[in-house]
Amino acid sequence: MMETFYEVMRRKGISRRSFLKYCSLTATSLGLAPSFVPQIAHAMETKPRTPVLWLHGLECTCCTESFIRSAHPLAKDVVLSMISLDYDDTLMAAAGYQAEAVIEEIMEKYKGNYILAVEGNPPLNEDGMFCIQSGRPFVEKLKHVASGAKAVIAWGSCASWGCVQAAKPNPTKATPIDKVITDKPIIKVPGCPPIAEVMTGVITYMLTFERMPELDRQGRPKMFYSQRIHDKCYRRPHFDAGQFVEVWDEESARRGYCLYKMGCKGPTTYNACSTVQWNEGTSFPIKAGHGCIGCSEDGFWDKGSFYDRITTIHPFGVESNADQIGGTAAAVVGAVVAAHAAISVAKRSIDKSRERSTTANH
């Protein structure tokens, strides 16, 4: 029987007070009310750690790099205490036959009770020969390990959508894992890479409540992917006022004006970047002066230049979410945001003209 999370913390000398503080921080990071803290504490006190097998297909390991930099909760707490990360060829010490033996051991001992986490995707062309692991195509390894899992997490846009590997013309026929694994519940955590706290938050929720979080139509957890980056962006007031960056490094850019005209994809991208941010809440791309490229959206690599202005967006407000809008919003609607931007600028020009006219009359 595996130790519980609480038993591990107590063995490490962590006090009851610190444990409850950790539960409170966990609830906050998941966007849960304080009333959930006792439930989280009870789960961590009574439930054994869950075995996790983490596989890597076609990818750049940026998801792992993001995950190990999580601050709330710390990745080391998730890896060493909350879960039993029995296999991850990037983080584990074992290699070769010894590492592969771990997979079979966990699959046999915890059949139907372990979580499969997948970073990257399988190429299907040439019988999967573009990604060989342990002497066999990755797609075979993926299907084998998924067969005994109780749930699958698709880390990043590679596993969720295909990402750059599946960009046109996609010579390897790189394929999202939900097109290969069709008989298991899959939770998609897209992003290139996903936000660290989003990754650890998803794991924490699953382990605490023994169920997948509520998902949207595309299989993403609503707690992190229900609203557009645009809706909570700190530059949104500039958008509404018609104040836009027109040229890189001009005065408007230094003043933090809206980056919509520079190609920012925030109005069509669902993610928690503008609220959770990156590097312990320090910043995110838009805050650093570059528009969102929409990396957590399906097919973002094939949607044209990252610097082309989007003109096909509904003006749905902050009350709208991904389910209400649907997965095809950005592809089927009119140029209302562009019109809104133009009207805002025109209104601002008219107001200035009136001010000058009033001053002249006086």
Side-chain angles (χ1 to χ4, degrees), residues 166-180:
K168 297 176 182 177
N170 191 10
T172 67
K173 199 179 177 181
T175 306
I177 64 171
D178 66 313
K179 305 299 182 184
V180 175

Side-chain angles (χ1 to χ4, degrees), residues 103-271:
I103 291 180
E104 301 305 322
E105 179 184 343
I106 296 301
M107 287 185 64
E108 181 179 350
K109 186 175 181 180
Y110 298 100
K111 184 177 181 179
N113 292 309
Y114 64 86
I115 293 175
L116 170 60
V118 184
E119 181 175 351
N121 54 49
L124 304 184
N125 211 3
E126 301 291 342
D127 297 320
M129 298 300 287
F130 289 98
C131 186
I132 300 294
Q133 293 184 14
S134 312
R136 58 179 172 171
F138 174 68
V139 64
E140 293 183 10
K141 184 177 183 178
L142 174 63
K143 290 178 178 179
H144 173 62
V145 181
S147 64
K150 67 177 180 180
V152 181
I153 302 176
W155 286 141
S157 292
C158 295
S160 298
W161 315 126
C163 202
V164 62
Q165 298 92 298
K168 297 176 182 177
N170 191 10
T172 67
K173 199 179 177 181
T175 306
I177 64 171
D178 66 313
K179 305 299 182 184
V180 175
I181 307 301
T182 58
D183 60 345
K184 299 290 179 179
I186 296 177
I187 178 171
K188 297 178 181 179
V189 187
C192 194
I195 302 170
E197 284 73 21
V198 170
M199 298 176 74
T200 52
V202 167
I203 287 183
T204 301
Y205 185 96
M206 293 177 69
L207 300 185
T208 299
F209 299 105
E210 292 190 327
R211 66 175 184 268
M212 296 172 65
E214 187 179 0
L215 306 179
D216 66 12
R217 294 179 182 182
Q218 298 185 63
R220 304 171 298 189
K222 287 185 175 181
M223 65 176 72
F224 296 116
Y225 294 91
S226 63
Q227 288 187 314
R228 302 174 301 166
I229 291 175
H230 180 66
D231 295 331
K232 297 294 179 67
C233 180
Y234 78 103
R235 295 183 189 238
R236 176 64 184 267
H238 292 294
F239 174 89
D240 293 334
Q243 297 172 330
F244 300 97
V245 175
E246 305 279 353
V247 179
W248 294 116
D249 203 34
E250 67 171 3
E251 184 61 26
S252 61
R254 288 188 283 274
R255 289 185 178 184
Y257 283 7
C258 179
L259 294 164
Y260 161 69
K261 288 190 175 183
M262 305 305 291
C264 181
K265 305 303 186 291
T268 55
T269 301
Y270 291 85
N271 209 333

Side-chain angles (χ1 to χ4, degrees), residues 350-361:
I350 292 171
D351 290 341
K352 286 184 178 180
S353 297
R354 287 175 176 170
E355 288 177 11
R356 287 195 293 268
S357 177
T358 302
T359 301
N361 290 334

